[in-house]
Amino acid sequence: MNRDNKPLISSSSIQTIFECRKLMENYIRKRLFDLNIHDFKPANFWLISIIANNRESNMVTIARKFHYTKANLTVVANNLIEKKYITKSISKVNNKNLVLQLTDKGFKLYHVIKIIIRDLQRLLSSMLDQEEIEQLTNIMFKLSNKLLQDDDIKQMNP
Protein backbone atom coordinates (compact mmCIF):
# COMPACT_ATOMS: atom_id res chain seq x y z
CA MET A 1 0.00 0.00 0.00
CA ASN A 2 1.16 3.53 -0.68
CA ARG A 3 0.68 6.57 1.59
CA ASP A 4 -2.91 7.01 0.40
CA ASN A 5 -3.66 3.42 1.43
CA LYS A 6 -4.10 2.42 -2.23
CA PRO A 7 -2.64 -0.85 -3.53
CA LEU A 8 0.61 -0.47 -5.45
CA ILE A 9 -0.31 -3.30 -7.80
CA SER A 10 -3.40 -2.59 -9.83
CA SER A 11 -6.17 -5.10 -10.29
CA SER A 12 -5.37 -5.07 -14.02
CA SER A 13 -1.81 -6.21 -13.17
CA ILE A 14 -3.21 -9.10 -11.13
CA GLN A 15 -5.58 -9.92 -13.99
CA THR A 16 -2.63 -9.92 -16.41
CA ILE A 17 -0.79 -12.48 -14.23
CA PHE A 18 -3.80 -14.80 -14.32
CA GLU A 19 -4.30 -14.28 -18.06
CA CYS A 20 -0.64 -15.11 -18.72
CA ARG A 21 -0.94 -18.33 -16.71
CA LYS A 22 -4.09 -19.26 -18.61
CA LEU A 23 -2.46 -18.52 -21.97
CA MET A 24 0.52 -20.74 -21.09
CA GLU A 25 -1.92 -23.49 -20.11
CA ASN A 26 -3.70 -23.02 -23.45
CA TYR A 27 -0.35 -23.28 -25.24
CA ILE A 28 0.33 -26.58 -23.46
CA ARG A 29 -3.21 -27.84 -24.17
CA LYS A 30 -2.89 -27.00 -27.88
CA ARG A 31 0.51 -28.69 -28.17
CA LEU A 32 -0.86 -31.83 -26.50
CA PHE A 33 -3.89 -31.75 -28.80
CA ASP A 34 -1.63 -31.31 -31.87
CA LEU A 35 0.24 -34.43 -30.72
CA ASN A 36 -3.06 -36.32 -30.44
CA ILE A 37 -2.85 -36.53 -26.64
CA HIS A 38 -6.42 -35.90 -25.54
CA ASP A 39 -6.54 -37.64 -22.16
CA PHE A 40 -4.09 -35.42 -20.33
CA LYS A 41 -4.72 -32.11 -18.55
CA PRO A 42 -2.13 -29.33 -18.42
CA ALA A 43 -2.68 -29.16 -14.65
CA ASN A 44 -1.13 -32.66 -14.45
CA PHE A 45 1.80 -31.58 -16.60
CA TRP A 46 4.05 -30.64 -13.72
CA LEU A 47 3.29 -33.73 -11.64
CA ILE A 48 4.63 -35.96 -14.42
CA SER A 49 7.82 -33.87 -14.43
CA ILE A 50 8.10 -34.01 -10.64
CA ILE A 51 7.77 -37.80 -10.64
CA ALA A 52 10.26 -38.19 -13.51
CA ASN A 53 12.85 -36.05 -11.74
CA ASN A 54 12.43 -37.52 -8.25
CA ARG A 55 13.00 -41.28 -8.34
CA GLU A 56 11.53 -42.09 -4.90
CA SER A 57 8.55 -39.75 -5.31
CA ASN A 58 6.53 -40.47 -2.22
CA MET A 59 3.19 -38.77 -1.97
CA VAL A 60 3.87 -37.06 1.38
CA THR A 61 7.05 -35.42 0.08
CA ILE A 62 5.42 -34.34 -3.18
CA ALA A 63 2.42 -32.89 -1.34
CA ARG A 64 4.64 -30.96 1.08
CA LYS A 65 7.30 -29.83 -1.40
CA PHE A 66 4.95 -28.76 -4.17
CA HIS A 67 2.12 -27.43 -2.00
CA TYR A 68 -0.59 -29.90 -2.92
CA THR A 69 -3.08 -31.01 -0.34
CA LYS A 70 -2.83 -34.77 0.17
CA ALA A 71 -6.43 -35.11 -1.01
CA ASN A 72 -5.77 -33.19 -4.25
CA LEU A 73 -2.61 -35.15 -4.93
CA THR A 74 -4.53 -38.40 -4.44
CA VAL A 75 -7.20 -37.30 -6.93
CA VAL A 76 -4.61 -36.26 -9.54
CA ALA A 77 -2.51 -39.41 -8.97
CA ASN A 78 -5.55 -41.69 -9.24
CA ASN A 79 -6.51 -39.99 -12.50
CA LEU A 80 -3.01 -40.56 -13.91
CA ILE A 81 -3.02 -44.17 -12.65
CA GLU A 82 -6.36 -44.79 -14.37
CA LYS A 83 -4.88 -43.48 -17.62
CA LYS A 84 -1.79 -45.69 -17.12
CA TYR A 85 0.72 -42.80 -16.90
CA ILE A 86 1.89 -43.64 -13.37
CA THR A 87 1.77 -46.39 -10.77
CA LYS A 88 1.43 -46.15 -7.01
CA SER A 89 3.14 -48.63 -4.71
CA ILE A 90 4.42 -48.97 -1.16
CA SER A 91 7.94 -47.60 -0.69
CA LYS A 92 10.76 -50.11 -0.28
CA VAL A 93 12.54 -47.56 1.93
CA ASN A 94 9.62 -46.83 4.27
CA ASN A 95 6.63 -49.17 4.29
CA LYS A 96 4.35 -46.32 5.35
CA ASN A 97 4.88 -44.17 2.25
CA LEU A 98 3.22 -44.50 -1.12
CA VAL A 99 5.55 -43.97 -4.07
CA LEU A 100 4.54 -42.68 -7.49
CA GLN A 101 6.46 -43.88 -10.55
CA LEU A 102 6.09 -43.35 -14.27
CA THR A 103 4.99 -46.22 -16.49
CA ASP A 104 6.42 -46.65 -19.99
CA LYS A 105 3.46 -44.60 -21.25
CA GLY A 106 4.29 -41.96 -18.61
CA PHE A 107 7.96 -41.82 -19.69
CA LYS A 108 6.89 -41.33 -23.31
CA LEU A 109 4.64 -38.49 -22.19
CA TYR A 110 7.44 -37.04 -20.09
CA HIS A 111 9.67 -36.81 -23.16
CA VAL A 112 6.86 -34.95 -24.96
CA ILE A 113 6.49 -32.67 -21.92
CA LYS A 114 10.21 -31.85 -22.02
CA ILE A 115 9.88 -30.83 -25.67
CA ILE A 116 6.84 -28.67 -24.94
CA ILE A 117 8.62 -27.01 -21.99
CA ARG A 118 11.68 -26.34 -24.17
CA ASP A 119 9.45 -24.84 -26.89
CA LEU A 120 7.64 -22.71 -24.32
CA GLN A 121 11.01 -21.53 -22.98
CA ARG A 122 12.06 -20.57 -26.51
CA LEU A 123 8.79 -18.76 -27.13
CA LEU A 124 9.04 -16.74 -23.92
CA SER A 125 12.75 -16.09 -24.48
CA SER A 126 11.96 -14.67 -27.92
CA MET A 127 9.64 -12.13 -26.27
CA LEU A 128 11.96 -11.01 -23.47
CA ASP A 129 15.60 -10.04 -23.27
CA GLN A 130 17.93 -11.58 -20.69
CA GLU A 131 17.48 -8.74 -18.20
CA GLU A 132 13.68 -9.01 -18.42
CA ILE A 133 13.85 -12.79 -17.94
CA GLU A 134 15.98 -12.33 -14.83
CA GLN A 135 13.63 -9.64 -13.50
CA LEU A 136 10.56 -11.79 -14.17
CA THR A 137 12.18 -14.79 -12.50
CA ASN A 138 13.18 -12.76 -9.45
CA ILE A 139 9.73 -11.19 -9.17
CA MET A 140 7.90 -14.52 -9.47
CA PHE A 141 10.28 -16.13 -6.96
CA LYS A 142 9.74 -13.25 -4.53
CA LEU A 143 5.95 -13.39 -4.90
CA SER A 144 5.90 -17.18 -4.48
CA ASN A 145 8.02 -17.04 -1.34
CA LYS A 146 5.85 -14.33 0.22
CA LEU A 147 2.64 -16.21 -0.60
CA LEU A 148 4.08 -19.42 0.83
CA GLN A 149 4.52 -17.71 4.18
CA ASP A 150 0.72 -17.73 4.50
CA ASP A 151 -0.28 -21.14 5.89
CA ASP A 152 -3.75 -20.96 4.33
CA ILE A 153 -2.33 -20.31 0.86
CA LYS A 154 0.52 -22.83 0.88
CA GLN A 155 -1.84 -25.74 1.55
CA MET A 156 -4.01 -24.96 -1.46
CA ASN A 157 -3.72 -26.82 -4.73
CA PRO A 158 -1.32 -25.02 -7.11
Side-chain angles (χ1 to χ4, degrees), residues 68-83:
Y68 280 89
T69 62
K70 291 175 192 169
N72 265 342
L73 181 57
T74 298
V75 169
V76 172
N78 287 343
N79 181 284
L80 294 174
I81 289 167
E82 183 180 305
K83 294 177 180 176

Side-chain angles (χ1 to χ4, degrees), residues 78-91:
N78 287 343
N79 181 284
L80 294 174
I81 289 167
E82 183 180 305
K83 294 177 180 176
K84 310 247 187 280
Y85 288 115
I86 66 172
T87 60
K88 180 170 45 174
S89 60
I90 295 174
S91 172

Side-chain angles (χ1 to χ4, degrees), residues 48-103:
I48 292 289
S49 295
I50 291 165
I51 295 168
N53 292 306
N54 297 282
R55 291 293 170 206
E56 268 285 311
S57 299
N58 78 64
M59 291 183 67
V60 172
T61 303
I62 292 172
R64 191 176 307 123
K65 187 174 180 182
F66 297 99
H67 316 293
Y68 280 89
T69 62
K70 291 175 192 169
N72 265 342
L73 181 57
T74 298
V75 169
V76 172
N78 287 343
N79 181 284
L80 294 174
I81 289 167
E82 183 180 305
K83 294 177 180 176
K84 310 247 187 280
Y85 288 115
I86 66 172
T87 60
K88 180 170 45 174
S89 60
I90 295 174
S91 172
K92 294 174 184 162
V93 176
N94 178 344
N95 290 339
K96 295 179 183 179
N97 290 335
L98 292 174
V99 176
L100 302 176
Q101 294 178 313
L102 296 181
T103 62

Side-chain angles (χ1 to χ4, degrees), residues 79-139:
N79 181 284
L80 294 174
I81 289 167
E82 183 180 305
K83 294 177 180 176
K84 310 247 187 280
Y85 288 115
I86 66 172
T87 60
K88 180 170 45 174
S89 60
I90 295 174
S91 172
K92 294 174 184 162
V93 176
N94 178 344
N95 290 339
K96 295 179 183 179
N97 290 335
L98 292 174
V99 176
L100 302 176
Q101 294 178 313
L102 296 181
T103 62
D104 288 341
K105 182 179 179 183
F107 271 111
K108 288 177 185 172
L109 179 63
Y110 173 63
H111 292 296
V112 170
I113 287 171
K114 287 193 318 186
I115 292 167
I116 294 172
I117 290 171
R118 187 190 65 229
D119 292 347
L120 185 56
Q121 289 169 321
R122 285 183 184 147
L123 177 65
L124 295 175
S125 294
S126 72
M127 297 176 195
L128 303 170
D129 64 33
Q130 187 61 38
E131 185 178 333
E132 290 170 321
I133 292 169
E134 288 172 15
Q135 289 173 346
L136 177 63
T137 302
N138 290 335
I139 290 166

Side-chain angles (χ1 to χ4, degrees), residues 135-150:
Q135 289 173 346
L136 177 63
T137 302
N138 290 335
I139 290 166
M140 297 309 290
F141 184 75
K142 185 176 184 177
L143 289 173
S144 293
N145 282 335
K146 285 292 185 186
L147 289 170
L148 285 173
Q149 291 175 6
D150 184 318

